């Protein structure tokens, strides 16, 4: 597996981590949205919430792996043809916002569970509480978590829309740099 970026594409490892993070985010959101279809206290609802917590903490762990890969992989492959400077700055801000989202959301979730005095499940482990139980603080943190969760839909949607605009309107290589290769050729 190629872990260094080339002059035309992100590394295989970077591409794999990008799409793995997307799949995890879809699963995290699906778990919390689907739980609303089941009655409070039901096993399925509680199971979906537990998976939401565990997958969210998986995002938290993997975002640091992804950042390490990003720094180790070398220079970002340039967009060709080069976009205007304002687009490059906007893209940098969007990436910063996405990484902040991927770190802050799981951390807030962990803090919510801690403040509620609930166990923090992580695939058979019980992670330590980050704070003591405090119902009022738990309610406030949960509200912030939900608000940022809504913002996350827009961040991911804008990121995807920008990639599609680059591909179909600007006709540059932005999207192609991050697509997996199929049969030895770029998709």
């Amino acid at each position: 597996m190629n872990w260094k970026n080339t002059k035309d594409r992100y590394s295989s490892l970077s591409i794999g981590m990008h799409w793995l993070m997307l799949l995890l985010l879809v699963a995290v959101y699906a778990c919390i949205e689907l739980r609303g279809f089941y009655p409070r206290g039901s096993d399925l609802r509680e199971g979906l919430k537990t998976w939401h917590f565990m997958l969210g903490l998986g995002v938290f762990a993997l975002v640091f792996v992804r950042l390490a890969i990003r720094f180790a992989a070398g220079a970002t492959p340039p967009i060709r043809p080069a976009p205007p400077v304002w687009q490059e700055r906007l893209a940098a801000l969007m990436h910063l916002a996405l990484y902040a989202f991927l770190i802050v959301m799981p951390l807030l979730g962990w803090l919510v569970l801690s403040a509620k005095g609930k166990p923090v499940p992580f695939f058979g482990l019980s992670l330590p509480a980050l704070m003591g139980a405090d119902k009022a603080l738990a309610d406030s943190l949960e509200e912030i978590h939900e608000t940022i969760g809504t913002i996350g839909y827009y961040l991911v949607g804008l990121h995807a829309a920008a990639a599609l605009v680059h591909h179909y309107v600007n006709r540059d290589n932005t999207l192609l740099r991050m697509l997996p290769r199929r049969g030895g050729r770029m998709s």
Side-chain angles (χ1 to χ4, degrees), residues 64-124:
F64 295 103
V65 173
R66 181 145 185 229
L67 284 166
I69 291 167
R70 184 178 174 126
F71 291 115
T76 300
I79 297 173
R80 292 193 178 102
V85 172
W86 69 267
Q87 281 185 12
E88 290 177 354
R89 289 184 181 146
L90 190 58
L93 282 173
M94 175 58 87
H95 283 105
L96 182 63
L98 283 167
Y99 278 109
F101 171 77
L102 294 172
I103 292 168
V104 168
M105 280 300 285
L107 187 56
L108 275 171
W110 192 346
L111 288 168
V112 168
L113 288 178
S114 298
K116 285 184 174 186
K118 292 186 175 181
V120 183
F122 189 65
F123 300 102

Side-chain angles (χ1 to χ4, degrees), residues 17-70:
M17 285 298 294
H18 176 271
W19 296 106
L20 174 61
M21 295 296 285
L22 173 63
L23 290 174
L24 279 174
L25 278 178
V26 167
V28 167
Y29 274 111
C31 287
I32 209 61
E33 295 295 340
L34 290 173
R35 71 139 176 29
F37 290 109
Y38 302 97
R40 291 183 185 273
S42 69
D43 289 344
L44 195 48
R45 183 181 177 105
E46 293 306 310
L48 286 167
K49 284 170 46 178
T50 299
W51 275 100
H52 173 78
F53 303 146
M54 293 189 304
L55 293 171
L57 289 169
V59 167
F60 186 64
L62 287 178
V63 73
F64 295 103
V65 173
R66 181 145 185 229
L67 284 166
I69 291 167
R70 184 178 174 126

Side-chain angles (χ1 to χ4, degrees), residues 8 100 117 170:
D8 297 316
N170 298 357

Side-chain angles (χ1 to χ4, degrees), residues 123-135:
F123 300 102
L125 302 172
S126 186
L127 299 180
L130 297 177
M131 64 175 50
D134 181 335
K135 181 169 176 13

Side-chain angles (χ1 to χ4, degrees), residues 170-186:
N170 298 357
R171 299 200 180 275
D172 62 31
N173 69 336
T174 298
L175 181 61
L176 294 176
R177 299 175 312 156
M178 190 52 81
L179 287 178
R181 291 184 188 265
R182 281 199 231 154
R185 300 180 56 187
M186 276 191 264

